[in-house]
Amino acid sequence: MGFEEEWGSLRTGAAAPRPAAADPVAEARQAAWRQLVEFRDRVVLVPLDERGGLWTAGLGGLDWICAFSDEDALARFAQARGETDREWTFRRVRGARLLDEVVPALDFPCGVALNPAGPDGAVFPPVRGIVPDEVAVDGEVAA
């Protein structure tokens, strides 16, 4: 290929429409949506407190139900807390039930933290689109 042909090819390529740049915000929203859908379909382990209720932890002015994808994730959490010597009793609960039934039944704002001591952790705050609107902290305030 001679200079003229190569130059023409480069000019043509430069003038060709380029694919749109990826939108990192849209990609993050899609990833979060997929994570929520997967959580809602998943059965998780929720430790019980000393009264037999679901174990919660406070962070950022909210309470969070701690849920775990499996016993290994729960064991990492116990180790991170320095509480490997105690027995961690738990219930198996579907993620959708936590968000749609348990959180609305509480008399305080509460979210769900999945695998809080692991690299695959996620939080599902009590906001519209995650929990029912009537209990969402960003929902309409009743008069």
Side-chain angles (χ1 to χ4, degrees):
M1 176 182 299
F3 176 78
E4 293 295 324
E5 291 172 320
E6 189 172 345
W7 180 249
S9 175
L10 289 172
R11 288 184 60 198
T12 302
R18 297 181 192 261
D23 180 357
V25 173
E27 289 176 7
R29 282 189 180 123
Q30 277 194 325
W33 180 252
R34 280 191 305 272
Q35 201 169 33
L36 175 61
V37 169
E38 289 172 8
F39 175 74
R40 293 181 65 76
D41 287 340
R42 171 183 262 170
V43 174
V44 294
L45 311 180
V46 181
L48 303 178
D49 64 16
E50 61 279 351
R51 296 177 314 244
L54 301 182
W55 196 83
T56 61
L59 180 65
L62 285 175
D63 284 65
W64 299 87
I65 297 170
C66 294
F68 301 90
S69 56
D70 55 34
E71 290 185 38
D72 289 339
L74 177 55
R76 281 193 305 273
F77 181 74
Q79 185 175 22
R81 293 181 53 82
E83 297 183 37
T84 55
D85 56 336
R86 69 171 263 218
E87 181 180 345
W88 286 80
T89 56
F90 58 83
R91 289 189 61 189
R92 295 180 192 280
V93 184
R94 183 164 301 283
R97 184 165 187 215
L98 281 174
L99 298 174
D100 298 342
E101 297 175 30
V102 174
V103 168
L106 300 173
D107 58 355
F108 54 91
C110 189
V112 177
L114 177 65
N115 297 333
D120 57 344
V123 293
F124 303 101
V127 296
R128 289 178 291 157
I130 296 178
V131 299
D133 289 354
E134 60 270 11
V135 297
V137 295
D138 64 337
E140 295 294 322
V141 177

